[in-house]
Amino acid sequence: MSIYSIQPVTFGAVRTYPLASRKSKVSVRDFAKPPGANSSLTKFLDSLPNILAVEDLRELLSAIHVARKQRKPVLWGIGGHVIKVGLGAVLIDLMRHGFVSGIAMNGAALIHDFEIALAGNTQRIRIGYGEAAGQYLSSGIIDVKHADCSVLVAAYQHRVPVTIHLAIGTDIPHMHPAANGAALGDATHHDFRLFCALVQQMHPGGVYLNWGSAVLLPEIFLKAISVVRNFGVPLRPITTANFDFIQHYRPMQNVVKRPTMPAPGSSGPESRGYAITGHHELLLPLVAAALAAGWPKKRRPGKR
């Protein structure tokens, strides 16, 4: 006999209901299907389970297709690692297919795409850092042996705005004796104002994708959102997403959640934010291939 003063409950009084009446989050129609040998990319993507991250990816890519069709911006925030792992050619191809309306880079991304020329020219010619870097690489002043691999060159040639967002002291060139802090600051402030203009064009229906920047670009994006809404532009609905192999605090708050929160008393289509976790060298080519293939062909009704 137990020495405890309390006894286990009995389950005779538990209320039950038929299993068939229970609402479920998943259905067999959403399960994965074997892709089969030598299947096409779209058949492979269609074979994935339409659950969790795949459902998010399907909805996000649908939003990108809609934005492109409606000539709304699809903006890309690019951290240094994205360029470092060799994805420049993929971004260039996305530009050619009209899936890139603007690119925001931090200093590391700029360095990895181009060993930075000495600062100072940007202030003289009154253009931003991103445009100046693309112009310099395209000018013939120096021999650029692998110009076809440069995101900066391709963006300049396609007239896709590139904005560079520096934190002075974070990048190797800032230690150089010839580094001009005033010129760097003026150029990156020019680019912030240009980025605000790009974000302003996102209303309504634009898309912002943050790839691999855990601090700087999420802060830049949120500040641009604040500027534009201060101008009276609601920026709704928009779609945002953070792609990274770890989901950090600032991208989750400043990219995924805060910019897409509904305004008090607002009605109409909702903004959506997505967090998709994985390595850039796998996810970005997959996203690019899916977009080029026009996937998803049809938008499935969401289960949310």
Side-chain angles (χ1 to χ4, degrees):
M1 176 177 285
S2 173
I3 64 172
Y4 300 147
S5 62
I6 189 169
Q7 297 297 316
V9 300
T10 60
F11 291 145
V14 170
R15 294 184 299 273
T16 63
Y17 59 92
L19 179 62
S21 68
R22 188 183 71 180
K23 293 184 178 180
S24 299
K25 292 183 178 180
V26 297
S27 166
V28 292
R29 66 177 178 270
D30 297 313
F31 287 2
K33 302 173 181 64
N38 301 317
S39 64
S40 67
L41 173 67
T42 52
K43 286 184 178 180
F44 164 72
L45 291 168
D46 285 338
S47 74
L48 297 173
N50 192 41
I51 297 171
L52 298 176
V54 178
E55 186 183 10
D56 286 349
L57 183 62
R58 180 186 293 273
E59 292 178 359
L60 172 61
L61 296 188
S62 293
I64 294 174
H65 285 301
V66 171
R68 177 172 175 263
K69 183 178 180 179
Q70 296 180 350
R71 298 183 181 275
K72 293 296 182 178
V74 180
L75 306 180
W76 295 67
I78 303 296
H81 192 72
V82 176
I83 303 297
K84 186 178 181 180
V85 297
L87 297 173
V90 179
L91 286 167
I92 292 169
D93 191 62
L94 285 164
M95 280 186 228
R96 291 171 180 155
H97 285 88
F99 289 108
V100 181
S101 310
I103 300 173
M105 291 183 174
N106 59 14
L110 176 66
I111 292 169
H112 286 305
D113 195 77
F114 163 52
E115 293 295 331
I116 297 177
L118 297 180
N121 292 340
T122 52
Q123 200 173 43
R124 177 174 57 85
I125 57 179
R126 299 186 183 281
I127 59 177
Y129 209 165
E131 186 178 356
Q135 183 188 80
Y136 184 75
L137 287 172
S138 305
S139 65
I141 296 173
I142 58 174
D143 182 22
V144 184
K145 295 182 179 180
H146 301 287
D148 58 328
C149 297
S150 170
V151 173
L152 290 166
V153 170
Y156 187 76
Q157 292 172 346
H158 287 82
R159 297 180 180 271
V160 172
V162 176
T163 59
I164 308 299
H165 305 277
L166 301 179
I168 304 298
T170 61
D171 301 319
I172 292 174
H174 303 164
M175 298 183 287
H176 195 281
N180 184 328
L184 292 171
D186 184 74
T188 200
H189 189 257
H190 176 285
D191 278 4
F192 173 64
R193 293 185 290 112
L194 179 59
F195 183 64
C196 289
L198 292 169
V199 170
Q200 186 171 10
Q201 293 179 351
M202 289 176 62
H203 177 77
V207 179
Y208 178 73
L209 310 173
N210 185 70
W211 290 83
S213 177
V215 178
L216 189 61
L217 293 181
E219 290 290 349
I220 293 293
F221 180 60
L222 188 63
K223 301 307 183 291
I225 291 281
S226 298
V227 167
V228 173
R229 286 181 173 159
N230 183 269
F231 290 162
V233 180
L235 283 177
R236 295 183 180 91
I238 60 172
T239 301
T240 66
N242 183 61
F243 290 84
D244 215 337
F245 48 84
I246 298 175
Q247 293 296 333
H248 296 277
Y249 173 80
R250 278 184 175 82
M252 285 296 296
Q253 295 297 320
N254 295 4
V255 174
V256 177
K257 295 182 178 181
R258 290 172 180 164
T260 60
M261 291 177 62
S266 63
S267 60
E270 292 185 2
S271 297
R272 295 299 300 271
Y274 300 92
I276 298 179
T277 305
H279 290 276
H280 309 311
E281 57 270 28
L282 290 172
L283 277 180
L284 204 153
L286 178 64
V287 166
L291 289 172
W295 188 85
K297 299 296 183 182
K298 293 182 179 179
R299 184 186 179 100
R300 296 187 187 180
K303 303 191 292 293
R304 300 177 190 276

